[in-house]
Amino acid sequence: PDSLPKSLLVIGSGAIGIEFASFYSALGVDVTVVEVQNRILPVEDEEISKLAHVAFVKQGLTIHTGATVEQLRNTAHGVSARLRTANGIATEIAVERVIMAVGITGNVEGLGLEEQGVRIDRGHIVVDEWCRAGAPGLYAIGDVVGPPWLAHKAMREGVLCVEKITGVEGVRPLNPANVPGCTYCTPQIASLGLTERAARESAHELRIGRYPYAANGKAIALGETEGLVKTIFDAKTGALLGAHMIGAEVTELIQGFAIGKTLETTEAELMATIFPHPTLSEMMHESVLDAFGRALHV
């Protein structure tokens, strides 16, 4: 289309759905988001999801969680959608456009992959730690091998795959726990490693730190006081298990935690690290300190 729609329905509230929803809402489009799970951004930490939900509603988005789209019907003016909300009530909404953002499936049909011994699982090629796809000389990387569906994850897979093929020494398999995830919406969202729920389910004793944007001088100067940096540590070993952030420029900040986690850092090294002032990155330091009862600027 050569013009913006007045209204838009986004089905699915993962990173892709939320990015489109946030983008179009910022341009003045009336956006409705429908998510079958009981919260938006279901792979993110629950605390971050709740903060994002509040921020998006404040911006004017209409969000239905625990809801399904039962029917889409073309009309003379766009699309009529029948929704089933969380309380079981059916309702009809009319929108000009619909974006289906419920996941990614590999384009693997009709290629004869199964005949070569390649296994397909829910639309994705199954590979080993070196991206070998189960047939001699056949490798697969990126979205076609499954989540996380991220460009930087695909790039790393491509590098390690080729290095393994060419015999480069010291090649390491990709560790999904060290892949940062970024959602480019407003406010930005970034995460790494285990969520709080996943960490607790892994029987870890946890130390959790939080630091709000509202307490950071640089955030105040920028007028970006909505946000949070959350860090999760193993209480016994001090290992960084996860980091979860929402707010201005967190997609840039998360790499600091990614480096630390890749180097298997503990809370001791992070607390001893000098963070420059005044910066947003100071919130990362304060969150780590807070996890161990040592926050300085609260």
Side-chain angles (χ1 to χ4, degrees):
D2 56 5
S3 61
L4 286 172
K6 290 185 173 61
S7 56
L8 173 69
L9 170 63
V10 178
I11 303 173
S13 72
I16 296 172
I18 286 299
E19 285 176 349
F20 274 116
S22 179
F23 171 76
Y24 279 104
S25 178
L27 294 176
V29 177
D30 183 9
V31 177
T32 299
V33 177
V34 175
E35 170 57 53
V36 70
Q37 302 294 326
N38 63 4
R39 61 188 177 96
I40 63 170
L41 296 161
V43 303
E44 298 293 342
D45 185 84
E46 290 183 34
E47 190 170 358
I48 301 300
S49 290
K50 289 177 182 178
L51 291 172
H53 190 129
V54 171
F56 296 145
V57 170
K58 183 188 281 188
Q59 293 169 19
L61 276 74
T62 299
I63 300 175
H64 297 284
T65 55
T68 57
V69 178
E70 295 186 333
Q71 184 184 66
L72 295 174
R73 180 170 50 86
N74 287 324
T75 68
H77 303 289
V79 179
S80 176
R82 185 171 71 220
L83 312 181
R84 182 75 60 177
T85 59
N87 55 14
I89 297 175
T91 183
E92 296 259 349
I93 66 170
V95 294
E96 286 191 24
R97 296 282 188 274
V98 176
I99 292 178
M100 185 72 72
V102 293
I104 294 174
T105 300
N107 185 12
V108 296
E109 298 86 358
L111 300 178
L113 294 174
E114 292 90 342
E115 289 80 0
Q116 299 299 318
V118 176
R119 188 159 65 91
I120 307 296
D121 180 22
R122 289 168 291 181
H124 293 98
I125 296 173
V126 177
V127 296
D128 67 9
E129 69 271 29
W130 306 117
C131 302
R132 292 179 293 212
L138 184 62
Y139 296 76
I141 66 168
D143 291 353
V144 77
V145 303
W149 300 297
L150 301 166
H152 46 277
K153 171 255 194 182
M155 177 178 172
R156 181 60 198 148
E157 286 174 330
V159 171
L160 74 86
C161 172
V162 172
E163 287 182 341
K164 185 66 175 178
I165 292 171
T166 57
V168 174
E169 293 184 5
V171 182
R172 296 182 181 179
L174 182 143
N175 182 352
N178 292 344
V179 179
C182 298
T183 303
Y184 298 94
C185 50
T186 304
Q188 294 178 15
I189 295 163
S191 59
L192 176 75
L194 297 177
T195 64
E196 180 179 346
R197 176 185 290 270
R200 292 195 187 283
E201 290 174 350
S202 299
H204 288 283
E205 182 184 343
L206 305 181
R207 298 296 297 265
I208 298 175
R210 298 173 178 85
Y211 199 78
Y213 266 60
N216 176 262
K218 181 69 173 287
I220 294 170
L222 292 172
E224 298 281 2
T225 55
E226 291 190 25
L228 178 73
V229 177
K230 177 178 181 179
T231 46
I232 303 170
F233 292 87
D234 186 307
K236 294 181 179 179
T237 68
L240 175 63
L241 301 177
H244 307 275
M245 314 163 79
I246 180 170
E249 302 304 328
V250 296
T251 58
E252 299 289 344
L253 299 176
I254 194 67
Q255 186 58 19
F257 285 132
I259 292 171
K261 198 167 185 311
T262 299
L263 295 175
E264 300 181 348
T265 189
T266 68
E267 92 292 359
E269 286 86 9
L270 289 171
M271 286 194 289
T273 300
I274 297 173
F275 286 71
H277 171 81
T279 64
L280 296 176
S281 68
E282 291 175 279
M283 291 182 289
M284 300 164 64
H285 193 212
E286 291 286 352
S287 180
V288 174
L289 292 169
D290 182 61
F292 294 86
R294 297 174 59 180
L296 297 172
H297 301 94
V298 290

